[in-house]
């Protein structure tokens, strides 16, 4: 759907004390690399297998499936989202999320099934039908008739931003009913798990999507129109609201990835994402085009690689001078951190998981108090603000980009409880990207601190954030807990309880009834539930949203599927699974439980890694676990089938060509009663005649001194004051404390047949400089044989100083078929040293 998603619904405080999480705990399963879309034959085969399962469930041959989308699951798995159809028509909100392994075998299916009564005979006597009568399968209205009816109702004088559409389908009219144990409960005492959604009846309908502009305002609606009478069955708003050097408005001096074209720098980051509108992540100047029909404009350019003045945009001023560039710096830094956070922590690439590049357009409209994601262009627009400051803060960008993730995966309907979960997912994403960015924007975990749990506080001129995640009711409109009336609220308010759930899941609660972090629904022991930290909470939530949620998921369904995700990642009965149950209980979704035994669950501490070997070589996979009661027992699986005799922490095999692409994982069980288990992530075996990869850098670890390197090779050695990333040698650029320039280079050849070319190097930066001004810099570029810069990979400065080494990764496939020069060039000013220590430079081609 072409949904345009914006952040602000209503203006809704102090920084919170953060509870520490254990960063040493092992990362959970990563998501796969971009997946190839299935061929028509493969899709037909999957539909046939799903139809066979339907037949076993007693459904007639009139039922089938329509493939809607595909995206990565965890490593070695693919997620296919399939709509349910009946007599060729889609059943709205009825769908399956199918997980398959690399062999195409179905591993699991998550279902929202609204088809149950479609095979029932039509009721007689003129009453409501259990299904649609056979005579009613032919619509009286045409698709254009339905569109015209909607346009006349919502914006008769408007213009279309995106072409309107009308899909003929079966619309299940749903109703909530109480489960038997809740029949006599008072309305105020109802828990989300006391109600279930059932089909009241079906109607033949057109699903009409209109994306219009009217009198300077965007008017986006989704409407269900009865295909026989033209009556509106349902309607909801679809407008969903909220390396060079850059001077960012909210973050000081920050490193940004740009491209040098001739003598001009462009805000185009070709190292993050492929394809899309610009071939990489880009920031453009919307040039104040109207928010009701914005034009992205052109990519920002500059004569130097220093951008922005770090100040609020002066309305009416230039978009392209230093003051106008600041909004673009905000956007690029936010976009880079969103991409890196999702990829480095979760393995998820770009918004769709398939590494499709996106862009952000700054300076939309004049004094525009909003930012929005538009799925029609899969891009984001940022206003300069009037009541607010420029809407490019890190949590706002993380929020809007998270709408793109939802649109590519669960596609949660933007109405009722699913709409609230849609908004909550974006608030969660905004906060987690904020934590990641505030801690340097590197590493494979979401740090325990760094975010403020308040959405949009930096952009607020009043100091009041848009939303308080830890206590939503502080905005005066959002509830702190689920109630049976929550589906009647605007989705920015109905998101509140799930936001609070996530805060409790990560940070825990407080037992004092006067605390903002207290929940009256937590009645078990201890009264203050224990959180599991940002990293684990985000992994669990992301896995549920991308691999289990359907478009119609509500609060009760979300609780069950988030619990499933926690169990798959950390084990049944684990402290993480117990924390999920308690966090949802804290918002009146499900019953509370004691934490007794929560520390006794089994957790995976070492995940099996992908292995690439030559045919005839030994491939080994290992798993580690902690918690529970030792000793542990192990069971290894290949492509979902148990491997006989594989009962140790390490499984080895002699790899053959036929093993290429096989996926392995382990289940670890403890010795308690009842037994507690944890399932590892998947690891893929790649088998080639020579291993399939080639190292293109000579002496990348510098253990042979200057061999292979040119330039200021005196920086290469083993010097006191610094240490190697591995081995004993390294390249120490800088560290002089006086004006100096030092460069090391190496020419490498990337074959024209390469399918992958990945540059990595380990970099440690320490400095005697202080403050947020970049005085000393290291620029990493790719040059041609004449010495001209083909691309700037990254610029680092004293501002990026950090403890220890950090591994940097870049995609150089764009240079295949060329011999290029890798250049590490350092410039140091006249005082106070900055050291840039480089080690283990590697360029692997495949």
């Amino acid at each position: 759907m072409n949904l345009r998603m914006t952040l602000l619904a209503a203006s809704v405080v102090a920084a919170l004390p953060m509870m520490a999480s254990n960063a040493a705990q092992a990362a959970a399963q990563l998501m796969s690399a971009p997946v190839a879309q299935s061929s028509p034959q493969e899709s037909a085969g999957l539909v046939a297998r799903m139809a066979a399962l339907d037949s076993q469930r007693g459904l007639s041959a009139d039922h089938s499936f329509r493939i809607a989308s595909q995206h990565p699951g965890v490593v070695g798995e693919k997620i296919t989202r399939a709509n349910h159809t009946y007599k060729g028509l889609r059943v709205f909100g009825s769908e399956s999320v199918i997980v398959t392994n690399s062999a195409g075998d179905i591993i699991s299916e998550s279902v929202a099934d609204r088809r149950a009564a479609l095979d029932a005979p039509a009721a007689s006597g003129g009453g409501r039908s259990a299904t649609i009568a056979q005579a009613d399968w032919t619509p009286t209205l045409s698709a254009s008739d339905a569109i015209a009816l909607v346009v006349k109702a919502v914006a008769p004088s408007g213009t279309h931003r995106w072409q309107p559409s009308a899909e003929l389908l079966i619309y299940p009219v749903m109703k909530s009913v109480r489960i038997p144990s809740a029949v006599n409960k008072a309305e105020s005492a109802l828990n989300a798990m006391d109600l279930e959604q059932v089909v009241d009846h079906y109607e033949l309908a057109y699903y009409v999507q209109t994306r219009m502009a009217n009198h300077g305002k965007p008017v986006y609606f989704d409407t269900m129109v009865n295909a026989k009478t033209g009556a509106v069955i349902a309607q909801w708003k679809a407008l969903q609201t909220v390396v060079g050097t850059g001077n960012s408005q909210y973050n000081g001096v920050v490193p940004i990835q740009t491209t040098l074209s001739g003598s001009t720098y462009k805000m185009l980051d070709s190292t993050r994402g492929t394809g899309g509108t610009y071939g990489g992540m880009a920031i453009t100047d919307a040039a104040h085009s109207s928010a009701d029909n914005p034009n992205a404009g052109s990519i920002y350019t500059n004569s130097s690689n220093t951008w922005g003045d770090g100040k609020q945009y002066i309305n009416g001023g230039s978009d392209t001078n230093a003051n106008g560039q600041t909004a673009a710096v905000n956007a690029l830094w936010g976009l880079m951190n969103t991409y890196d956070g999702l990829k480095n922590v979760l393995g998820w690439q770009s918004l769709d998981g398939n590494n499709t590049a996106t862009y952000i357009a700054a300076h939309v409209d004049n004094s525009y108090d909003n930012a929005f994601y538009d799925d029609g262009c899969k891009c984001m627009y940022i206003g300069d603000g009037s009541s607010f400051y420029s809407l490019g803060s890190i949590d706002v960008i993380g929020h809007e980009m998270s709408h793109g993730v939802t649109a590519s995966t669960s596609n949660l309907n933007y109405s009722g409880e699913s709409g609230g979960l849609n908004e909550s997912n974006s608030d969660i994403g905004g906060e987690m990207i904020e934590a990641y960015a505030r801690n340097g924007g590197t590493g494979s975990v979401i740090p325990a601190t760094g975010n403020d749990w308040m959405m949009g506080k930096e952009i607020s001129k009043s100091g009041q954030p848009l939303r308080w995640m830890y206590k939503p009711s502080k905005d005066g409109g959002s509830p702190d807990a689920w109630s049976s009336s929550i589906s009647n609220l605007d989705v920015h308010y109905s998101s509140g309880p799930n936001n609070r759930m996530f805060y409790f899941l990560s940070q825990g609660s407080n037992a004092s009834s006067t605390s903002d972090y207290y929940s009256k629904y937590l009645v078990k022991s201890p009264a203050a539930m224990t959180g599991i930290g940002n990293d684990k909470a985000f992994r669990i939530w992301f896995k549920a949203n991308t691999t289990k949620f359907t478009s119609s998921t509500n609060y009760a369904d979300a609780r069950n599927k988030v619990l499933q995700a926690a169990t798959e990642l950390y084990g049944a009965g684990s402290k993480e699974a117990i924390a999920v149950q308690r966090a949802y209980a804290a918002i009146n979704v499900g019953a509370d439980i004691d934490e007794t035994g929560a520390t006794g669950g089994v957790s995976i501490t070492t995940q099996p890694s992908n292995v690439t070997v030559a045919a005839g070589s030994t491939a080994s996979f290992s798993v580690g676990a902690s918690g529970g009661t030792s000793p542990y027992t192990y069971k290894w699986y290949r492509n979902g089938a148990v491997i006989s005799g594989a009962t140790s922490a390490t499984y080895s095999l002699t790899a053959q060509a036929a093993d290429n692409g096989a996926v392995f994982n382990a289940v670890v069980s403890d010795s308690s009663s009842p037994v507690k288990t944890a399932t590892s992530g998947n690891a893929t075996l790649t088998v080639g005649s020579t291993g399939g990869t080639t190292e293109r850098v000579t002496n990348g670890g510098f253990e042979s001194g200057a061999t292979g390197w040119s330039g200021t090779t005196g920086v290469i050695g083993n010097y006191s004051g610094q240490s190697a990333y591995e081995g004993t040698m390294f390249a120490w650029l800088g560290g002089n404390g006086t004006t100096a320039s030092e460069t090391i280079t190496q020419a490498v050849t990337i074959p024209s047949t390469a399918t992958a070319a990945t540059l990595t190097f380990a970099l440690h930066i320490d400095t005697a400089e202080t403050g947020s001004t970049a005085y000393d810099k290291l620029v990493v570029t790719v040059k041609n044989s004449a010495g001209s810069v083909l691309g700037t990979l990254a610029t680092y400065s004293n501002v990026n100083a950090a403890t220890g080494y950090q591994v940097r990764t870049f995609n150089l496939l764009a240079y295949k078929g060329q011999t290029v020069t890798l250049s590490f060039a350092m410039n140091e000013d006249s005082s106070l040293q900055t050291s840039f220590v480089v080690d283990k430079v590697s360029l692997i081609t495949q």
Side-chain angles (χ1 to χ4, degrees):
M1 295 189 301
N2 293 331
L3 301 184
R4 172 178 171 181
M5 307 184 183
T6 52
L7 175 68
L8 309 180
S11 296
V12 236
V13 130
L16 305 178
M18 299 297 171
M19 298 177 63
S21 66
N22 184 3
Q25 302 244 11
Q29 297 164 319
L30 294 179
M31 309 300 282
S32 293
V35 298
Q37 301 299 296
S38 294
S39 67
Q41 293 81 6
E42 291 170 329
S43 295
L46 180 59
V47 167
R49 278 176 284 163
M50 295 300 295
L53 291 175
D54 270 0
S55 179
Q56 295 173 18
R57 296 165 181 153
L59 293 174
S60 72
D62 287 327
H63 293 276
S64 190
F65 298 84
R66 184 183 303 160
I67 303 299
S69 65
Q70 292 181 319
H71 60 79
V74 298
V75 171
E77 296 178 358
K78 178 188 287 187
I79 307 299
T80 300
R81 294 178 177 271
N83 296 319
H84 298 162
T85 64
Y86 185 70
K87 295 184 181 295
L89 294 177
R90 178 162 75 101
V91 183
F92 186 81
S94 193
E95 58 197 86
S96 291
V97 184
I98 307 155
V99 181
T100 53
N101 61 21
S102 58
D105 302 318
I106 297 173
I107 297 174
S108 66
E109 180 188 14
S110 177
V111 185
D113 201 333
R114 298 183 170 182
R115 304 171 292 174
L118 280 168
D119 281 330
S124 59
R128 276 188 169 179
S129 299
T131 183
I132 302 174
Q134 194 65 35
D136 290 336
W137 286 107
T138 303
T140 302
L141 278 68
S142 67
S144 58
D145 291 335
I147 292 171
L149 285 170
V150 173
V151 169
K152 182 178 180 180
V154 300
S157 59
T159 57
H160 293 291
R161 171 151 169 71
W162 303 107
Q163 192 64 30
S165 63
E167 176 192 2
L168 185 66
L169 48 67
I170 299 170
Y171 183 70
V173 178
M174 308 299 293
K175 64 180 180 181
S176 292
V177 298
R178 298 187 181 201
I179 63 175
S181 61
V183 169
N184 296 319
K185 273 191 177 182
E187 188 76 15
S188 60
L190 287 176
N191 182 286
M193 307 303 287
D194 290 332
L195 300 179
E196 60 180 348
Q197 291 283 302
V198 299
V199 176
D200 181 68
H201 66 285
Y202 299 95
E203 297 196 23
L204 188 67
Y206 282 107
Y207 177 33
V208 180
Q209 295 178 283
T210 50
R211 308 293 184 258
M212 305 179 71
N214 191 39
H215 301 301
K217 294 182 179 180
V219 183
Y220 284 26
F221 276 99
D222 287 348
T223 309
M224 289 293 174
V225 177
N226 186 293
K228 305 289 286 186
T229 67
V232 173
I233 306 168
Q235 186 177 72
W236 56 90
K237 293 181 179 178
L239 181 66
Q240 306 184 23
T241 59
V242 92
V243 178
T245 300
N247 293 297
S248 166
Q249 184 172 349
Y250 303 112
N251 312 291
V253 177
V254 296
I256 55 175
Q257 178 71 44
T258 60
T259 299
L260 180 62
S261 177
S263 60
T264 300
Y265 291 92
K266 301 170 64 177
M267 276 199 174
L268 174 65
D269 180 359
S270 58
T271 69
R272 293 173 173 85
T274 58
T277 302
Y278 298 103
M281 302 296 189
I283 308 301
T284 66
D285 179 12
H288 307 287
S289 57
S290 174
D292 64 2
N293 193 24
N295 187 323
S298 302
I299 296 177
Y300 266 89
T301 61
N302 201 26
S303 59
S304 75
N305 212 13
T306 298
W307 307 73
D309 64 0
K311 298 178 182 179
Q312 169 67 19
Y313 174 69
I314 300 171
N315 286 326
S318 168
D319 293 357
T320 56
N321 66 6
N323 179 246
Q325 292 170 0
T326 298
V329 172
N330 295 340
L332 183 53
W333 189 72
L335 185 55
M336 288 167 54
N337 275 283
T338 301
Y339 181 94
D340 289 351
L342 294 177
K343 183 175 186 292
N344 296 343
V345 175
L346 300 167
W348 188 260
Q349 299 187 42
S350 195
L351 306 184
D352 60 0
N354 289 320
N355 207 31
T356 304
T358 185
Y359 65 91
I360 299 177
H363 299 300
V364 64
D365 219 313
N366 293 288
S367 304
Y368 185 57
D369 267 331
N370 220 325
F372 57 83
Y373 172 82
D374 192 333
D375 200 43
C377 57
K378 301 188 185 303
C379 67
M380 178 180 174
Y381 289 88
I382 296 177
D384 295 317
S386 176
S387 301
F388 295 92
Y389 295 118
S390 175
L391 284 98
S393 64
I394 185 65
D395 57 350
V396 171
I397 291 175
H399 173 107
E400 297 304 338
M401 294 291 99
S402 294
H403 274 308
V405 175
T406 297
S408 299
T409 57
S410 60
N411 200 23
L412 289 159
N413 291 329
Y414 205 62
S415 64
E417 293 188 26
S418 61
L421 294 173
N422 188 319
E423 273 300 309
S424 178
N425 175 72
S426 285
D427 283 352
I428 290 168
E431 287 298 303
M432 295 300 94
I433 294 303
E434 180 179 37
Y436 190 76
R438 295 282 182 242
N439 285 275
T442 60
S444 59
V445 298
I446 299 292
T449 61
N451 61 304
D452 57 13
W453 298 103
M454 292 179 281
M455 178 54 54
K457 188 174 189 298
E458 287 179 310
I459 66 173
S460 173
K461 290 184 176 180
S462 68
Q464 300 297 298
L466 301 173
R467 289 180 284 283
W468 286 263
M469 294 188 70
Y470 58 93
K471 190 172 178 61
S473 60
K474 290 173 74 73
D475 67 16
S478 298
D480 290 333
W482 178 92
S483 71
S484 58
S485 62
I486 194 172
S487 61
N488 298 324
L489 297 176
D490 178 275
V491 293
H492 297 85
Y493 296 130
S494 62
S495 64
N498 199 73
N499 281 352
R500 193 172 210 222
M501 179 284 300
F502 189 82
Y503 175 85
F504 285 149
L505 180 61
S506 172
Q507 303 292 292
S509 69
N510 190 294
S512 172
S513 61
T514 60
S515 170
D516 281 345
Y517 315 105
Y518 168 79
S519 169
K520 69 178 182 180
Y521 298 103
L522 290 175
V523 295
K524 296 293 186 176
S525 178
M529 72 162 284
T530 304
I532 59 175
N534 282 346
D535 187 67
K536 286 185 175 180
F538 190 45
R539 291 178 191 279
I540 291 169
W541 174 260
F542 192 90
K543 180 180 176 70
N545 182 43
T546 55
T547 69
K548 298 185 184 300
F549 286 3
T550 67
S551 62
S552 58
T553 288
N554 61 11
Y555 268 80
D557 189 44
R559 182 259 187 198
N560 292 337
K561 288 174 178 174
V562 173
L563 179 57
Q564 289 174 24
T567 299
E568 290 176 10
L569 289 173
Y570 302 107
S574 64
K575 63 182 180 182
E576 294 81 7
I578 290 175
V580 167
Q581 294 173 78
R582 298 210 75 193
Y584 269 105
I587 62 165
N588 198 29
V589 182
D592 193 17
I593 59 174
D594 290 322
E595 285 184 24
T596 303
T599 58
V602 180
S603 295
I604 301 297
T605 57
T606 303
Q607 297 283 355
S609 300
N610 293 339
V611 174
T612 299
V613 296
S617 300
T618 298
S620 295
F621 301 91
S622 296
V623 66
S626 66
T629 303
S630 61
Y632 303 126
T633 58
Y634 303 87
K635 186 177 292 185
W636 284 90
Y637 291 79
R638 173 190 172 118
N639 295 333
V642 68
I643 303 172
S644 177
T647 57
S648 299
T650 297
Y651 170 67
S652 299
L653 75 157
T654 300
Q656 304 299 332
D659 296 317
N660 186 50
V663 177
F664 298 84
N665 73 291
V667 174
V668 183
S669 302
D670 74 350
S671 300
S672 63
S673 181
V675 172
K676 297 180 177 66
T677 65
T679 302
S680 78
N682 292 331
T684 301
L685 174 60
T686 301
V687 182
S689 57
T690 61
T693 60
T694 303
E695 173 63 73
R696 299 294 172 179
V697 172
T698 300
N699 186 31
F702 305 104
E703 298 304 304
S704 298
T707 301
W709 294 94
S710 301
T712 319
T713 55
V715 302
I716 298 171
N718 179 8
Y719 303 106
S720 60
Q722 297 290 345
S723 58
Y725 177 74
E726 64 178 27
T728 60
M729 306 281 274
F730 48 85
W732 184 354
L733 298 128
N736 304 289
T738 187
T739 302
S741 296
E742 297 163 348
T743 302
I744 57 171
T745 64
Q746 182 170 150
V748 294
T749 299
I750 303 175
S752 59
T753 56
T755 58
T758 304
L759 171 69
T760 61
F761 57 86
L763 174 64
H764 167 62
I765 306 173
D766 63 59
T767 186
E769 303 279 9
T770 59
S772 58
T773 300
Y775 298 105
D776 311 314
K777 299 177 183 178
L778 174 71
V779 181
V780 185
T781 58
V782 176
K783 299 181 178 181
N784 62 18
S785 58
S788 299
V789 174
L790 300 176
T792 299
L793 301 181
T795 299
Y796 307 101
S797 74
N798 50 280
V799 178
N800 307 122
T803 303
Y805 279 90
Q806 296 175 332
V807 176
R808 310 289 181 163
T809 304
F810 302 90
N811 180 5
L812 300 192
L813 192 59
Y815 305 105
K816 70 179 183 179
Q818 302 180 55
T819 296
V820 296
T821 298
L822 304 177
S823 172
F824 297 81
M826 185 282 308
N827 287 287
E828 200 171 5
D829 71 357
S830 59
S831 64
L832 299 178
Q833 74 87 23
T834 299
S835 297
F836 301 93
V837 187
V838 179
D839 199 359
K840 199 178 182 182
V841 183
S842 173
L843 175 59
I844 299 292
T845 62
Q846 190 170 9

